[in-house]
Amino acid sequence: MKIDYYEKVFLILGVVMLLSGLTAILISVAGAGVMVPEPAGRIAPEEVRTTAPFDQPGVREISAGKYEAVIVAQIWSFSPNEIRVPAGSEVTFRVASTDVIHGFFIENTQVNAMIIPGQITEVTQDFDEPGEYLLICHEYCGIGHHNMWGRVIVE
Ligand code: CUA
């Protein structure tokens, strides 16, 4: 069987592209610790407000330097919409929606998740640098979507 020169070049190029893509994934997972957020639990949207810990949203210190931020997402706000932690904290966000799909994105961090009704979203992030981090819903969720934001204040 005769393989045309250009066909061979494209075949080799294809294999090289596949391998470099695979290498990039391996490096980001093993080296940089990049992960896909997993559902941390299930919760019916209509039961969010009456089920712990979402019946008492807010920030609590769970151990030295480690915080838990329980947040309820609803059209078109986060409750609470202001999270305050000292610099050097590790914050685990637990978020659930009472209605539609929302987004959960914190600028200049790796926090970028979906809040899917029926599901608890859990993401952990270290906040070493003091400052204000904008938190936004980055999934279109209706007419008031652009008003759905908050902030993480690192003191
Ligand atoms: Cu919630 Cu967009």
Side-chain angles (χ1 to χ4, degrees), residues 98-110:
T98 62
D99 39 56
V100 299
I101 297 179
H102 297 283
F104 193 75
F105 177 87
I106 303 175
E107 65 165 356
N108 299 325
T109 69
Q110 285 195 33

Side-chain angles (χ1 to χ4, degrees), residues 73-78 99-103 136-142 144-149:
Q74 65 258 298
I75 45 172
W76 289 283
S77 64
F78 294 107
D99 39 56
V100 299
I101 297 179
H102 297 283
I136 58 163
C137 172
H138 64 328
E139 177 70 28
Y140 183 74
C141 55
H145 162 69
H146 60 282
N147 292 323
M148 192 163 172
W149 63 280

